[in-house]
Amino acid sequence: MSSPVTTPPDTQDDFGVLREVESRVLWLSSAIIHHANRVRANPSGLKVGGHQASSASMVSIMTALWFRHLRPQDRVSVKPHASPVLHAINYLLGELDPSYLPRLREFGGLQSYPSRSKDPDPVDYSTGSVGIGATAPIWGALSRRYVNATVGDVGTGRQFSLVGDAELDEGAVWEAVLDPAVGELGEVVWVVDLNRQSLDRVVPDIAAEKLQGMFTAAGWQVITLKYGGRLEELFARPGGEELRQRIDAMTNPEYQRLLRCDAGQLRRRLPEGPGADRIRALVDQVEDSALVAAMANLGGHDLAALDAAFSAIDDSRPTAILAYTIKGHGLASQGHPQNHSALLTEEQMRELTERLGADPADPWRAFDENSAAHELCRRTAGRLRRSEPAHHAPPAVPVDIGRTPSGTATTQAALGRLLLDLTRAAPEVAARVVTVSPDVSSSTNLGGWVNKVGVWSSTERRDWFSDDAETILHWREKPSGQHIELGIAETNLVGLIGELGACWSKWGQPLLPIGVLYDPFVERALEPWSFGIYAGGQSLLVGTPSGVSLAPEGGAHQSIKTPSIGLEQPGCVTYEPAFALDAEWTLLAGLARLGRPDGSSAYVRLSTRPIDQTPAAVPDDPAARERRRRQVVAGAYPLLRTDGAEVTIAAMGAVVPEALAAADRLAQIGVPAEVVCVTSPDLLYRAVRARQGHEQAESWVLDQVFPADRATPLVTVLDGHPHTLAFLATVNRVPVSSLGVTRFGQSGSLEDVYREHGIDADSIVRAALDLTD
């Protein structure tokens, strides 16, 4: 990769201009929060919030990065609580209309945390959920490399994460750092805002050396910025080495307390230990204001030190810059252990106004057009201006491959079959598909697809088992591969498919990412996947195998809540097909929603239970087949119609055979029953809400599947929580008995497990008889 575009300073005056911009960024970020809380009308009295101290600790870092080193091809993920700093910089660069500055956390205004989809100014990564925004640039870098290798050149560039040190407490951060694929991503740069405070306290232990060791062990370059130029100058004087050792040995709380001291208190507190006399002699020589300023002069607030650090980045491996900072730097609240959400008082804001040369009557005043600071902003804006990428429309996904499965099949196997069929029936679609799994490719029926398209790698690697006759899964790693295998960390998987699914908007190249994982672990991955959807990432998440139908695996692997979660997830359509052809149609429908401005993600819950495909009774007539397909994709279809039916069984997924068996037994005892096969409780619920006038959605499927003139008492059944389908009773306001799984399971045969949870044919028959008596 090329070196960063930067103009090194020739004189101290160059840094003087940069310091002027730094001061204005500090003022604006503080004023944005102040106005939202203390100036703007607030009739409700609810706390507005904002983080002046957390923003202040990032001002120097972001000023140095944006105004000295950032390039248009680079992307930055900004720590959530520093969003006002991002907006302040965007305003100075002409990327944010000043009318938005008083509108932080106002409806339609600036969001609480950076948002790609909701903020009015440029935001590269949505952040807010701790740990997810930090890792997103890793997956953004990998996604960009994948696009370059497979579908088109979208350039290169560094991917920066501006991370709070407390954010490193999240395990997801280290899952990402330690993934084997990350070590070769030299464009990834993390800048850790090492302010040693969390929300409630000063963190007692000095963690920098531990962090340095962890990043180094993962193969990262580590650059540590501990002290600024003023402190380093003191350290160079007689007694300076003792002063350094004294500060180095301090706990975080002791050092933070010194930040609240005046010069006299510092002279009393600093001399201590074997070198106390030499420290006392040194600090006694320093003028009061200089001594106070030096104590707060850490590397993360020294523009020259930051400039040197950004210039020293090694693009051959990931880089972590550990920048010591002070939370609230430059504010009256600096270093205080409870300053996380603290707001400056009116008096403190007036003092800040005077010190920074701001105008309280015109808080959003820009730099004078004849000033050097204005010229720096103008040049920086020109340097960072991005050209809009050429946007490619996603290929048209076929709605039906044309195959009709027969015999016995599983919906999980249908996934692998469909991917192979796409390579023949729609190669332009298959070329955009990228699958991702956490070391479960073979056990989730992706083996044939992996053999066909290969495994993606930035460089081609030799397959040492290619000549082994007993090798079934061929692991050919090459830049043109379309399967990405990560380590066993579900949060990494969904982080990656989220970024792959955002390539259509970031780089203009739509991809069709499919993440495959065991369904019980969807809940582990749900929060980062949901955040990825919020950030604009469109992907297809396949959970398989699922439910207590995975009988021998036992309770910990038997998912219960996932069908309900899919129903409730915004920006997502959920499907749970019963038959192989239903799986094919719903998967194709999910793929067709990806990579477009009006698109959405999809969650498909599949099973390893082999099911006889004959009862699907797929029509031979093309028009009738298409009618069935439309119903499947819309959420449900009538599987068994009976004249004079007294009860309807609405079943979903793996338990459809039990529903059919129950209907047959009910007919034998004179209780005619109909069976509806539900494929998407999500879309059916939207149809119900649309009928009630609550949202815009198609509701025709309700009339076709649950017509009012055929309304009967209803039994719902699925291999998951029963409330997922209970709402179906509201379609025609009929009595209902909802069967499903509400308890942890245990190992056993399918028959035993179904009986234990009351989703077997006997239980369905009993529920139907209770409703019809």
Side-chain angles (χ1 to χ4, degrees):
M1 296 174 60
S2 60
S3 298
V5 177
T6 179
T7 306
D10 296 321
T11 67
Q12 189 64 27
D13 289 341
D14 290 322
F15 277 115
V17 175
L18 195 61
R19 277 193 290 273
E20 187 176 352
V21 173
E22 175 190 34
S23 294
R24 184 60 58 88
V25 172
L26 175 61
W27 163 254
L28 287 170
S29 59
S30 301
I32 286 170
I33 300 168
H34 176 78
H35 192 99
N37 286 273
R38 300 198 189 277
V39 179
R40 192 171 72 218
N42 183 10
S44 70
L46 290 174
K47 173 187 174 183
V48 177
H51 301 84
Q52 289 174 322
S54 293
S55 293
S57 70
M58 286 296 303
V59 165
S60 304
I61 292 170
M62 293 177 66
T63 300
L65 179 57
W66 258 262
F67 289 88
R68 304 265 321 143
H69 290 268
L70 206 60
R71 305 168 300 176
Q73 65 266 39
D74 298 334
R75 298 294 183 268
V76 187
S77 174
V78 176
K79 82 169 189 177
H81 293 162
S83 64
V85 182
L86 176 62
H87 298 311
I89 289 174
N90 280 337
Y91 164 64
L92 291 176
L93 297 181
E95 296 284 1
L96 179 65
D97 190 278
S99 64
Y100 281 101
L101 296 177
R103 301 183 61 197
L104 177 69
R105 301 190 175 202
E106 181 183 80
F107 187 80
L110 300 176
Q111 298 301 298
S112 54
Y113 308 123
S115 172
R116 286 192 68 229
S117 58
K118 298 183 183 299
D119 270 320
D121 53 335
V123 174
D124 294 332
Y125 288 98
S126 296
T127 60
S129 189
V130 175
I132 296 175
T135 58
I138 286 178
W139 313 123
L142 203 156
S143 298
R144 193 185 226 173
R145 286 196 179 199
Y146 179 87
V147 170
N148 282 336
T150 58
V151 296
D153 184 11
V154 294
T156 59
R158 285 177 177 163
Q159 300 275 342
F160 289 90
S161 284
L162 307 183
V163 187
D165 54 350
E167 199 165 4
L168 299 181
D169 291 345
E170 283 288 343
V173 167
W174 300 105
E175 288 183 359
V177 168
L178 294 173
D179 192 275
V182 174
E184 63 185 27
L185 299 178
E187 62 268 48
V188 171
V189 179
W190 283 20
V191 184
V192 180
D193 172 17
L194 203 65
N195 61 46
R196 292 152 296 161
Q197 284 187 238
S198 59
L199 189 151
D200 294 322
R201 62 174 183 162
V202 176
V203 178
D205 297 324
I206 300 173
E209 291 185 3
K210 179 175 68 175
L211 293 176
Q212 180 173 347
M214 293 169 73
F215 279 112
T216 300
W220 291 45
Q221 175 194 22
V222 180
I223 300 172
T224 301
L225 297 179
K226 189 167 186 179
Y227 300 118
R230 289 179 175 178
L231 268 176
E232 291 289 357
E233 192 275 330
L234 283 182
F235 295 155
R237 298 184 190 181
E241 184 55 34
E242 287 80 2
L243 178 62
R244 181 195 295 271
Q245 293 174 7
R246 167 81 172 99
I247 296 176
D248 282 345
M250 287 180 184
T251 64
N252 290 335
E254 181 182 5
Y255 176 78
Q256 296 282 110
R257 181 62 186 89
L258 293 181
L259 299 173
R260 314 285 300 170
C261 293
D262 60 27
Q265 292 171 319
L266 288 175
R267 290 191 173 92
R268 289 193 299 272
R269 288 173 179 259
L270 281 172
E272 190 175 294
D277 291 341
R278 290 175 61 81
I279 295 173
R280 183 177 297 105
L282 171 60
V283 298
D284 283 347
Q285 299 171 11
V286 183
E287 191 264 336
D288 285 1
S289 60
L291 181 60
V292 172
M295 285 307 301
N297 180 225
L298 297 182
H301 302 301
D302 189 293
L303 294 175
L306 286 162
D307 189 73
F310 286 128
S311 298
I313 293 171
D314 174 8
D315 286 324
S316 68
R317 54 181 173 151
T319 296
I321 299 175
L322 305 182
Y324 279 73
T325 60
I326 298 168
K327 199 165 186 173
H329 183 259
L331 304 180
S333 61
Q334 78 170 14
H336 194 279
Q338 278 86 54
N339 66 6
H340 181 79
S341 298
L343 297 171
L344 297 182
T345 65
E346 295 284 359
E347 181 180 348
Q348 289 170 336
M349 283 297 293
R350 282 194 296 272
E351 186 276 330
L352 187 67
T353 302
E354 295 172 3
R355 182 157 52 84
L356 298 182
D359 183 355
D362 185 12
W364 320 123
R365 177 173 56 85
F367 289 116
D368 184 274
E369 290 189 2
N370 297 319
S371 67
H374 172 81
E375 177 62 17
L376 176 58
C377 292
R378 188 193 65 78
R379 291 201 317 267
T380 302
R383 188 185 79 239
L384 296 180
R385 190 164 293 117
R386 297 171 181 170
S387 57
E388 183 68 18
H391 285 274
H392 300 262
V397 177
V399 297
D400 190 351
I401 299 297
R403 296 175 65 253
T404 304
S406 58
T408 300
T410 73
T411 53
Q412 177 178 291
L415 167 65
R417 177 77 262 172
L418 172 64
L419 291 174
L420 289 176
D421 284 344
L422 281 175
T423 63
R424 293 183 287 268
E428 70 285 358
V429 174
R432 296 275 173 171
V433 171
V434 51
T435 56
V436 185
S437 69
D439 197 36
V440 293
S441 302
S442 56
S443 60
T444 55
N445 284 92
L446 291 181
W449 163 258
V450 171
N451 285 344
K452 178 75 174 179
V453 301
V455 178
W456 182 81
S457 175
S458 59
T459 58
E460 187 157 357
R461 297 174 181 172
R462 182 173 179 178
D463 179 6
W464 289 97
F465 288 85
S466 60
D467 58 348
D468 187 330
E470 295 183 7
T471 298
I472 299 175
L473 181 62
H474 297 287
W475 208 254
R476 295 191 298 271
E477 298 179 83
K478 52 187 179 180
S480 61
Q482 291 179 243
H483 175 74
I484 301 177
E485 187 90 356
L486 298 177
I488 306 175
E490 287 76 15
T491 56
N492 288 350
L493 177 138
V494 295
L496 176 55
I497 62 174
E499 288 303 316
L500 290 167
C503 287
W504 68 273
S505 60
K506 286 188 173 183
W507 321 120
Q509 289 286 2
L511 297 175
L512 308 178
I514 303 175
V516 184
L517 73 166
Y518 291 164
D519 194 68
F521 306 140
V522 165
E523 292 178 63
R524 183 185 300 176
L526 180 65
E527 195 249 348
W529 187 56
S530 177
F531 198 85
I533 294 174
Y534 165 80
Q538 299 170 6
S539 59
L540 199 158
L541 186 66
V542 176
T544 182
S546 62
V548 299
S549 296
L550 191 61
E553 286 287 343
H557 278 67
Q558 295 171 348
S559 54
I560 296 172
K561 296 180 289 183
T562 46
S564 173
I565 288 171
L567 185 153
E568 297 159 3
Q569 174 61 48
C572 167
V573 175
T574 183
Y575 288 109
E576 184 167 348
F579 298 102
L581 187 55
D582 297 352
E584 176 186 302
W585 285 338
T586 54
L587 286 164
L588 288 171
L591 290 173
R593 291 185 172 91
L594 305 180
R596 56 185 70 248
D598 60 345
S600 69
S601 293
Y603 161 53
V604 184
R605 192 175 190 244
L606 302 180
S607 174
T608 49
R609 184 187 181 185
I611 290 179
D612 179 13
Q613 302 298 298
T614 306
V618 180
D620 293 326
D621 179 79
R625 178 185 176 102
E626 173 59 15
R627 185 173 189 268
R628 165 70 69 83
R629 185 200 66 80
R630 290 184 69 244
Q631 290 175 335
V632 167
V633 171
Y637 62 94
L639 186 57
L640 176 65
R641 285 295 195 208
T642 304
D643 291 337
E646 297 180 21
V647 67
T648 299
I649 304 169
M652 185 169 75
V655 296
V656 165
E658 277 62 39
L660 290 170
D664 183 58
R665 288 171 50 187
L666 286 166
Q668 292 176 24
I669 59 177
V671 182
E674 296 192 330
V675 177
V676 170
C677 184
V678 175
T679 54
S680 176
D682 175 19
L683 292 178
L684 294 184
Y685 188 64
R686 295 188 204 185
V688 169
R689 286 179 52 79
R691 181 179 281 183
Q692 296 169 344
H694 297 311
E695 64 178 88
Q696 294 292 320
E698 295 183 343
S699 61
W700 59 265
V701 68
L702 298 178
D703 297 323
Q704 291 190 8
V705 180
F706 299 102
D709 61 356
R710 303 184 73 94
T712 66
L714 181 67
V715 176
T716 66
V717 59
L718 74 154
D719 184 357
H721 200 282
H723 94 257
T724 307
L725 298 180
F727 73 91
L728 291 174
T730 67
V731 175
N732 291 314
R733 299 181 182 178
V734 297
V736 64
S737 180
S738 296
L739 307 182
V741 181
T742 60
R743 307 184 309 279
F744 289 117
Q746 59 178 299
S747 299
S749 68
L750 194 66
E751 294 77 10
D752 289 340
V753 171
Y754 277 11
R755 185 183 308 112
E756 167 69 16
H757 293 281
I759 57 175
D760 59 334
D762 283 351
S763 298
I764 298 172
V765 169
R766 284 194 295 269
L769 293 177
D770 288 342
L771 289 173
T772 56
D773 278 350

